[in-house]
Amino acid sequence: MSGYVEHKDDALRRLRRIEGQVRGLQRMVERDTYCVDVLTQIAATNAALQSCAVSLLDEHLSCCVTEAIVNGGADAKTKVDEASRAIARLVRS
């Protein structure tokens, strides 16, 4: 089960909004919109993606990682390692 299952509709709504932002970017380029305006919208889209990622990460830590730690064993270390790698990827992006 995914950690975000209880907030799946919220995640989908956010991702659909981001999809709309990307489509808007495509229209801006097709219409030869001023470069800085396109870059501003790209920054806004990146911020929306980052916010969505942080929300999903929070759900993962609160559900999947916490559950694995409570249950103990090798799965706990695996889940913590996975979360650490996910955080590292987010920090680098």
Side-chain angles (χ1 to χ4, degrees), residues 12 25 49:
L12 287 171
L25 283 165
L49 276 170

Side-chain angles (χ1 to χ4, degrees), residues 3-65:
Y4 56 83
V5 72
E6 291 183 24
H7 300 102
K8 184 176 181 176
D9 290 339
D10 293 334
L12 287 171
R13 191 173 13 263
R14 292 174 92 163
L15 290 168
R16 285 187 193 106
R17 192 175 316 122
I18 293 165
E19 180 182 19
Q21 286 178 289
V22 172
R23 286 188 180 148
L25 283 165
Q26 291 170 337
R27 284 190 300 275
M28 290 176 80
V29 171
E30 287 170 352
R31 296 174 183 160
D32 295 323
T33 302
Y34 184 59
C35 302
V36 173
D37 293 337
V38 177
L39 292 170
T40 299
Q41 290 307 309
I42 289 172
T45 303
N46 281 333
L49 276 170
Q50 286 288 342
S51 177
C52 186
V54 168
S55 176
L56 289 170
L57 178 62
D58 183 55
E59 294 291 333
H60 179 65
L61 292 171
S62 297
C63 181
C64 303
V65 175

